[in-house]
Amino acid sequence: DIVMTQSPDSLAVSLGERATINCKSSQSVLYSSNNKNYLAWYQQKAGQPPKLLIYWASTRESGVPDRFSGSGSGTDFTLTISSLQAEDVAVYYCQQYYSAPITFGQGTRLEIE
Amino acid sequence: QVQLQESGPGLVKPSQTLSLTCTVSGGSISSGAYYWTWIRQPAGKGLECIGRIYTSGTSYNPSLKSRVTMSLDTSKNQFSLKLSSVTAADTAVYYCARTIAGTGGAFDIWGQGTMVTVSS
């Protein structure tokens, strides 16, 4: 199985500031034939199911605010929230879909400082 | 607008079989354009993919494969999960989710989840 490791486990950021969450995979999730990274990011608010934010490592899902962006390739990825809003308080997960079984990171809890 | 809704018993006894159904509304489950997945989340913990089903087959997590069966009911636009020989470790919120085939495996639509407790 591909192990996904996120850092940090928790993060406190002031409103309007930048938040950065990292995700590292135990092996590359870059598929050479199409040059796509099989990596997604989700936001999960308390009592709700996860919500897809980013797929293919950097493609924003329809309706997701442009303050959310994804970057990285191969084994190292980053989710950036450019200007933190109060409604962004949540747990964020990365997920690889390069190979079965699909696996998720352990989650990063984002709070307001 | 496609919506998913999980249903099933909230309490299952140890050693018995957990059975859940996901009802899909606003779209056809028999379209080959989608994969349908079960994911679970123990309280306060992370997400585990149980397996997925599509019109041409299934793919189960090897860690659960010996206990898992998934099926499609196209007449009811539902898909289901059966997990046998459950223990307390199977206590979790169970989600159903959709993947657009050809996009790999990102889950674009999720159900609200259903809590299942394994206890005598």
Side-chain angles (χ1 to χ4, degrees):
Chain A
D1 299 5
I2 296 178
V3 176
M4 308 300 290
T5 303
Q6 294 180 226
S7 61
D9 289 334
S10 63
L11 180 63
V13 175
S14 300
L15 289 173
E17 295 300 306
R18 178 186 300 262
T20 301
I21 299 170
N22 301 301
C23 175
K24 188 175 185 68
S25 56
S26 61
Q27 63 187 75
S28 176
V29 298
L30 173 63
Y31 194 39
S32 56
S33 66
N34 60 10
N35 201 37
K36 287 184 180 293
N37 287 283
Y38 284 54
L39 190 285
W41 289 97
Y42 298 85
Q43 174 193 66
Q44 186 176 32
K45 297 182 179 180
Q48 296 183 19
K51 173 188 174 183
L52 178 63
L53 298 175
I54 303 282
Y55 58 97
W56 297 136
S58 61
T59 301
R60 202 179 300 114
E61 173 73 336
S62 176
V64 173
D66 61 7
R67 64 179 181 274
F68 291 91
S69 63
S71 62
S73 185
T75 62
D76 293 281
F77 300 91
T78 300
L79 174 70
T80 301
I81 307 172
S82 60
S83 176
L84 189 70
Q85 305 298 304
E87 60 265 32
D88 300 335
V89 169
V91 178
Y92 291 83
Y93 293 94
C94 60
Q95 172 225 340
Q96 68 80 20
Y97 46 99
Y98 179 87
S99 67
I102 288 170
T103 50
F104 294 85
Q106 81 277 18
T108 294
R109 184 173 301 276
L110 177 59
E111 300 171 333
I112 304 295
E113 189 168 48
Chain B
Q1 178 181 351
V2 175
Q3 294 183 313
L4 280 62
Q5 179 66 58
E6 306 87 351
S7 59
L11 181 63
V12 182
K13 288 182 167 49
S15 79
Q16 293 191 343
T17 296
L18 177 161
S19 296
L20 296 175
T21 297
C22 182
T23 301
V24 180
S25 58
S28 173
I29 196 172
S30 57
S31 166
Y34 305 109
Y35 303 147
W36 307 98
T37 301
W38 288 99
I39 297 160
R40 69 181 182 179
Q41 184 174 36
K45 295 188 178 181
L47 298 154
E48 180 181 34
C49 186
I50 299 169
R52 67 186 184 189
I53 187 167
Y54 33 95
T55 53
S56 56
T58 56
S59 174
Y60 301 148
N61 189 324
S63 68
L64 298 166
K65 186 175 183 178
S66 63
R67 300 195 289 132
V68 172
T69 304
M70 294 182 184
S71 59
L72 288 174
D73 186 338
T74 55
S75 66
K76 295 181 180 179
N77 222 36
Q78 297 175 333
F79 63 104
S80 65
L81 166 69
K82 291 188 185 300
L83 181 66
S84 64
S85 305
V86 298
T87 69
D90 295 310
T91 294
V93 175
Y94 285 74
Y95 295 101
C96 55
R98 185 187 84 165
T99 297
I100 301 173
T103 69
F107 304 111
D108 66 331
I109 299 176
W110 295 64
Q112 284 301 305
T114 187
M115 179 68 201
V116 178
T117 301
V118 178
S119 175
S120 55

